Amino acid sequence: TLGRRLGLHGKILMSKRLISVVIPAYNEEACLLELASRLTAVMDANDNFGWEVIVVENGSSDSSWSVLGEICRGDDRFRAIQLSRNFRAAGGITAGLTHASGDACVIMMADLQEPPELIPQLIEKWQQGFENVYGLVTRRGGTGPVRRLNSRIFYWLAKKLTGETITPNASDFRLVDRKVYEAVLSLNESNRFVRGLFSWVGFSSIGVPVEREARFGGVSNAHTLKVLQLAINGILAHTVVPLRLVTFTGFVSAILAMAVLGWFSYMFIFNGVPFDGFGTIVGLNLLGFSILTLALGVIGEYLGLNYEESKNRPHFIVRDSMGLD
């Protein structure tokens, strides 16, 4: 029963709607105590709900697990899961959702860029009948121009390629009804872009404006190369990077072909060419090769995704836990 799952607070929570808070954390020891303090203030100010906070320690190399032990011992509303290695944010979120018991679940990151004090606004929209209440980022504090440009390019491409499946500037910070997160958990694909999955399953959704703050502490793990790596997914038995290198080769070849065509056009205008059609032949050969390579790369991408799915590996592996049965 729900009471047995929630331990000492079971009987109290049976009479209240339960809000779960799921937080993946990777090397966030500098943020965890502040995170717990601010979440405690939010929970105490909204005691008309039952609360559980599930922090997923996602294979950290710092002392995050020890800090989480201190937090869990001080407040039994906090629970922690330690994964066997880093399973990326999607794996951490999936692990937390799998162990959540709430009538609704708040998903947020441990870096405090989305303030916990906004959770009551999400709950208010949920009480109005919305089942997927997501943060809509209006400002990105603490990020450089390259990161902001990358975000704009990503969401522009996502909108062009997927329609409205991925909402522009939607954040992982959100509140979802139980039926929504259970629907997402029922999707078994290995390549999990969580924001896209929440959008794909449908349900009544609304965005809440959020100004993303700078990190409270520590160093961001979302470097440009790491973000790019998240889009790449693999090497041979464990990844599909070689297939994507074919795609990269196609793009480089296309750029070189355009450069060569431009150079020969310049030479034709000012110096002439060895024989008529020389530049056209070279340029068209390069362009045709790059288009062919790019096409093979796209096919390789889809083959790689199917390869990853065929292995049917788990989304996460739990090493240890605190406060959970």
Side-chain angles (χ1 to χ4, degrees):
T1 65
L2 180 60
R4 284 198 296 270
R5 292 180 68 184
L6 298 179
L8 296 176
H9 283 274
K11 293 182 180 179
I12 298 175
L13 296 179
M14 286 290 288
S15 61
K16 299 179 180 180
R17 302 188 80 182
L18 177 66
I19 306 293
S20 299
V21 182
V22 166
I23 308 170
Y26 176 63
N27 289 339
E28 297 289 4
E29 62 178 353
C31 299
L32 289 174
L33 290 176
E34 177 69 12
L35 172 67
S37 174
R38 291 168 65 175
L39 278 173
T40 298
V42 171
M43 293 188 291
D44 291 345
N46 295 271
D47 59 1
N48 52 319
F49 293 97
W51 292 89
E52 66 170 1
V53 180
I54 303 173
V55 183
V56 182
E57 194 279 286
N58 206 349
S60 300
S61 58
D62 63 5
S63 60
S64 293
W65 186 243
S66 299
V67 176
L68 286 172
E70 178 184 343
I71 293 170
C72 291
R73 288 188 294 271
D75 188 335
D76 60 9
R77 292 174 295 187
F78 285 85
R79 298 95 196 277
I81 300 170
Q82 186 181 43
L83 301 187
S84 61
R85 64 168 179 83
N86 183 264
F87 284 86
R88 304 296 186 187
I93 292 172
T94 302
L97 292 176
T98 301
H99 291 83
S101 305
D103 298 290
C105 182
V106 174
I107 300 169
M108 62 180 298
M109 299 300 161
D111 54 17
L112 292 170
Q113 287 192 283
E114 284 96 2
E117 292 77 15
L118 295 177
I119 291 176
Q121 295 183 32
L122 307 184
I123 294 176
E124 182 180 354
K125 293 295 183 182
W126 176 55
Q127 291 178 308
Q128 293 173 7
F130 293 100
E131 297 156 314
N132 178 16
V133 186
Y134 55 87
L136 197 59
V137 180
T138 59
R139 185 180 67 86
R140 301 177 185 273
T143 57
V146 174
R147 181 70 187 279
R148 290 195 293 269
L149 177 62
N150 289 343
S151 296
R152 292 192 186 98
I153 293 173
F154 166 75
Y155 283 116
W156 181 82
L157 286 174
K159 184 175 181 179
K160 292 294 183 181
L161 297 175
T162 69
E164 298 299 326
T165 299
I166 299 175
T167 304
N169 295 310
S171 170
D172 285 322
F173 178 56
R174 66 183 64 225
L175 179 147
V176 290
D177 189 85
R178 174 192 283 273
K179 64 174 70 72
V180 179
Y181 73 77
E182 287 183 344
V184 168
L185 287 174
S186 71
L187 306 176
N188 293 320
E189 60 256 46
S190 299
N191 296 282
R192 301 175 70 81
F193 182 64
V194 177
R195 274 169 273 178
L197 294 179
F198 278 119
S199 179
W200 185 87
V201 297
F203 297 97
S204 177
S205 305
I206 191 172
V208 173
V210 174
E211 290 190 3
R212 180 170 288 172
E213 300 178 356
R215 288 180 59 87
F216 173 79
V219 179
S220 174
N221 295 295
H223 304 298
T224 299
L225 292 178
K226 288 189 175 181
V227 173
L228 180 61
Q229 184 181 359
L230 291 177
I232 293 180
N233 289 343
I235 276 189
L236 295 177
H238 300 285
T239 97
V240 291
V241 165
L243 291 171
R244 293 194 169 101
L245 288 176
V246 179
T247 305
F248 177 74
T249 302
F251 280 115
V252 172
S253 299
I255 293 172
L256 289 175
M258 289 186 287
V260 169
L261 282 173
W263 171 252
F264 279 121
S265 297
Y266 171 82
M267 293 296 293
F268 172 76
I269 294 171
F270 293 100
N271 299 315
V273 291
F275 58 85
D276 291 341
F278 174 78
T280 303
I281 292 172
V282 174
L284 288 177
N285 281 335
L286 286 172
L287 184 60
F289 175 75
S290 64
I291 292 173
L292 178 61
T293 306
L294 180 59
L296 289 174
V298 172
I299 294 171
E301 291 287 340
Y302 282 101
L303 287 174
L305 290 175
N306 280 295
Y307 170 69
E308 291 292 337
E309 298 296 335
S310 69
K311 291 187 289 189
N312 198 28
R313 290 177 178 173
H315 302 139
F316 61 90
I317 298 173
V318 175
R319 178 183 181 185
D320 199 358
S321 65
M322 290 183 284
L324 291 169
D325 295 334

